[in-house]
Amino acid sequence: MIWRQTLVGGEVVDPWESVGVTCYSDVAPGARPTLSMADIVQAFKRTPWSKPQVSSQPAGNTTLVNLTTFYKVDWTADGFAPGEVDTSTLLGIRVSIRPRLVGFTYTFGDGSSIGPTTSTGGVYPDGDITHVYREPGSFPVRVNTTFGADFSLDGTEWNPIPATVTVPGPATDVTVREARGVLVSR
């Protein structure tokens, strides 16, 4: 930004006013470069995220119509999960990005969903992410994760990044079957 102030005989006549911008850098030649928040947000968006993989119970990704099915999220080994730290160098400055969970959205493939929630679900009887299918079929279940993050420059204190990113998890096909009662005599 270019600013000007009018002086007459050493006296200030007008207050400072903005008169435009320049294409010259704000950094003096030879000075250490400055990272902007936009640079940090771009690094955050380039973070290789761990993908949330959903599993179900009953085991084997097969359930029955009208049976409560329990869901649980596990993180894939590749990429960065909440609490892990991704470190890179931008303009000669070490930038550490520590992802944090904002929320999950579970989609069950039949038009139903739960979320956003911070629950990773669980197994019977304590899991709190459940769904009941009303029709038989094969349903692609997925969990989308919204990440936020904190950053640190050259090991300084952690500060929040004012952005989020939503990462879709891979689909897990859940087969829903219909059970029929059969009377048998012995």
Side-chain angles (χ1 to χ4, degrees):
M1 298 290 296
I2 300 172
W3 294 84
R4 108 174 134 200
Q5 186 177 45
T6 306
L7 300 174
V8 175
E11 299 273 328
V12 175
V13 178
D14 293 320
W16 286 104
E17 66 175 320
S18 174
V19 293
V21 294
T22 180
C23 60
Y24 292 111
S25 170
D26 289 338
V27 178
R32 184 174 182 178
T34 303
L35 286 176
S36 69
M37 185 56 72
D39 295 327
I40 293 166
V41 167
Q42 284 303 92
F44 162 68
K45 289 182 178 180
R46 286 190 304 266
T47 298
W49 306 102
S50 179
K51 303 261 192 285
Q53 180 69 50
V54 67
S55 61
S56 66
Q57 188 184 29
N61 297 322
T62 300
T63 189
L64 296 174
V65 171
N66 296 324
L67 179 70
T68 300
T69 305
F70 290 78
Y71 289 95
K72 179 177 176 275
V73 167
D74 293 303
W75 297 104
T76 57
D78 56 328
F80 292 89
E84 298 177 341
V85 177
D86 178 21
T87 301
S88 60
T89 301
L90 297 174
L91 300 175
I93 300 169
R94 185 173 49 110
V95 178
S96 298
I97 295 176
R98 181 177 60 191
R100 59 184 155 71
L101 176 66
V102 173
F104 295 114
T105 300
Y106 295 78
T107 58
F108 300 109
D110 64 351
S112 302
S113 64
I114 294 177
T117 177
T118 56
S119 174
T120 57
V123 296
Y124 176 83
D126 300 320
D128 61 345
I129 302 297
T130 62
H131 184 63
V132 176
Y133 291 93
R134 301 298 179 196
E135 299 291 329
S138 180
F139 299 94
V141 178
R142 86 172 59 248
V143 175
N144 296 329
T145 304
T146 301
F147 288 99
D150 299 312
F151 74 97
S152 172
L153 302 178
D154 283 336
T156 61
E157 74 279 353
W158 291 97
N159 292 290
I161 295 174
T164 60
V165 65
T166 299
V167 177
T172 299
D173 286 326
V174 173
T175 301
V176 179
R177 295 195 172 131
E178 193 166 34
R180 291 189 184 104
V182 177
L183 294 176
V184 180
S185 68
R186 290 193 173 218

